[in-house]
Amino acid sequence: MTQSGAEPVRQPEYPFDQAVTARAAVDASGVVTDWNEGARRLLGYASEEIVGKSAGCLLARGQEAVRPPEGATRWNGSVVLRHRDGSEVPVRLLAHRTDPDMTSRGEWLLFSRLPRDEPEAAGPLDEVPRWAFARSPCPVAIYDTELRLLAVNAAMAGVIGLPEDEIIGLRIPEIGGKPQSAELEQQMLRVLATGERLDVESFMRTGGEAREHAWSAHLTPLADDHGAVHGVCLTAHDITETYLGRRRLQLVNDASVRIGTALDITRTAEELAEVCVPDLADFVTVDLLDLQDRDDTGETTPAASSSADVALRRVAQLSVTPGSPEAAIDLGTMGVYPPSSPHARCLASGRPLFHPIRPRDALGWPEPQSAQARVVEEHGLHSVMAVPILARGVTLGVAVFYRHRHPEPFVPDDVLLAEEITARAAVCIDNARRFTRERETALALQRSLLPQSLPRPAAVEVASRYLPAAPHTGIGGDWFDVIPLSGLRVALVVGDVVGHGIQASATMGRLRTAVRTLADVDLPPDELLTHLDDLVIRLSQESDVGQPAGDVGATCLYAVYDPISRTCAMAAAGHPTPALALPDGTVEFVDIPVGPPLGVGGLPFEAVERELPEGALLALYTDGLIEDRLRDIDEGRAALADALGRPDGSLDSICRRILDKLGSASGARDDIALLLARTRVLDASRVVDWEVEADPAEVSRIRHLVADQLGAWGLDELVFTTELAVSELVTNAIRHATPPIRLRLIHDATLICEVSDSSSTAPHLRRARTYDEGGRGLLLVAQLTQRWGSRHHATGKTIWAEQLLPPAAD
């Protein structure tokens, strides 16, 4: 029943006489709200005569005896009621609250068995109790064909918590007053109808105990020799320990699945708390020691001192109450625990502990103790259990479990369960800790191997971005580089080493160094990739014993841009082709014959040359930018083209736009390296070119031409040194090289002199002896200029020398 004015609880429909039991309902103010036919038979009042009136008018004597104890959900006792004709009727009452959780002031349902008018004739039913009790050593109850209690043995009376004479003749819902009672009666009705035995399980509090019990009920039809069913025998078995054991095993299985889904310390600690609340505890905290300064030598971490405070960081906490009001420490903050606290005592002993909490005992909680004492009292914390978090001989922290909604305190089996779950979480936390440290080491190594700052070449304006993969993937071997070359040319490089981790980062560093070394030799892109391929094959062969050849692999794109000729030569080894955004907004992907990845060997690489207008934007990237499990490569390329379709603005803003469009989805799977280069063109007035005849007399003419050109450029201070350098370079070409011979001067941030010929012989410095007439030319050039070098090309070689410009006049 509900409070007055609310809809009454509907009784289930049964094929039985409902008037055999007197039933009434009384609300919280003592007013009668329901009155059945059985109550009319007992006291003579019709329903319309008594509903709405005070129940006190029915009492003849014993008013004090009908006051249930404070907080009671069930009451039974003897009262004397007044019949409608004025006579007194002694009655045994059994009452249940309609809201057993007492979340509101509800009504009471009252039941009483009606006396029999005359004894029934003897029959088979008289033999039913004797048969049942003779065969059952367990708590037994016998019910007739209307599912009214005929008899119980002493064990069943103890389980119910009521004497037999007060419950005989009542149905199970009238005795138990719980939803489980009605469900059990439905199963008994099924036994009556089918005549077949049925086993059911129920979980409820019985006999007034605070602790819930699990029961296995065996429902047996009581039939005579002819098969006629005369009742039901209910035999109960207490399976609480078995039930709790199954629950604990299920909790361990859940922990193995739910804990450790990510290599993240905080998330793993949260998963530990989520598994244990509410099945094991009502409030769980996970606090970790600061292990940044500890190594992983495998030695056991020393236990905390029993006389010293312990500093722990709160990593996770969870409560059955939203917001975890039981917490005295905020997430992420350090708490200092005195030696008498459960945290410190658990860490000092290295073993779990559990004990009850006294309401006014702070138990050595962290300061302020008064605040923790208020939490204990306000939330009713009554039991605590602390378990050390140990993994591989290292103490990582402590997990603490509390109960306040669970009425039962922690028991030794709960400690074993908490140890098992915490041990699983400890290994996952330690794995996450080691992975985090390895990732940080790999990131530091990778940052040290990548360019700390990009050069500012005259040929291009550059900008770059690097995004490491998500933590669970590991650091990759992506890299990029910008390498100034002779003749104002610039090399643009992007590469990607196969795999992740420190090994991939170390291999990336070796390849990046090799590319810079080969670029310094000024090899064409296809030849450079061929040499790099040989290096990767050697690295793979030198890998650890037991690893198959080919474990080391990489992809690479190498491009060389010349701002004078406006040409860009490119070659790729298994790498995505670059995107080219022209000044008019057109975007295309350069058609490059993509060779095999580095490390395959035996296959050639092919370079292509493309003329680029001034202001063209070249985008070099690794596959992490355009490839993702949620989209195919074509979608990624389309998204990149869309982001490059507006080449206006700074390169940094374009980088941000590209990563906003592509980086969030791709970065979770693989690293992303992005290099943007906007082309520049050197003004024709800053480049002069002369053809030189293979005649020693040409040297004088060339010296005069150089002097005149430097005067026109306002570089009179460099005339003397430039004439000497040009004389030596041209003279060497006339004497030792093959025509045609050409001289080129380039005036930009420096002054560059280049002498080209058709010979492939590489020049080199040598020390001339005292009486040698020659051999000092290149040595003199090296002394007069800032730097010098040579490069080979399809028609021969070029020797170049570079000088710094004089400081500008104030």
Side-chain angles (χ1 to χ4, degrees), residues 201-346:
E201 289 188 3
S202 181
F203 194 66
M204 66 180 72
R205 292 183 177 89
T206 58
E209 294 186 15
R211 183 185 182 188
E212 291 184 322
H213 287 257
W215 296 94
S216 175
H218 305 286
L219 307 178
T220 305
L222 300 178
D224 59 20
D225 295 338
H226 303 287
V229 178
H230 298 280
V232 178
C233 174
L234 187 155
T235 305
H237 299 274
D238 190 341
I239 59 169
T240 303
E241 296 305 321
T242 303
Y243 176 81
L244 293 178
R246 292 202 305 262
R247 283 182 55 184
R248 293 186 179 108
L249 181 59
Q250 183 61 48
L251 202 57
V252 171
N253 291 336
D254 290 345
S256 64
V257 174
R258 296 170 57 187
I259 297 178
T261 59
L263 285 170
D264 181 82
I265 295 175
T266 300
R267 181 57 194 147
T268 303
E270 291 172 348
E271 290 168 344
L272 167 60
E274 290 169 358
V275 166
C276 296
V277 175
D279 292 328
L280 178 60
D282 300 317
F283 177 50
V284 174
T285 64
V286 181
D287 299 89
L288 299 182
L289 293 162
D290 188 358
L291 299 178
Q292 293 181 353
D293 298 330
R294 301 180 187 268
D295 57 18
D296 289 323
T297 59
E299 299 180 357
T300 302
T301 303
S305 172
S306 59
S307 60
D309 293 345
V310 177
L312 296 167
R313 184 177 301 280
R314 178 63 50 84
V315 180
Q317 60 189 24
L318 184 65
S319 170
V320 292
T321 306
S324 299
E326 307 95 329
I329 297 178
D330 294 331
L331 281 173
T333 60
M334 293 292 293
V336 179
Y337 296 82
S340 58
S341 66
H343 304 69
R345 288 190 290 128
C346 174

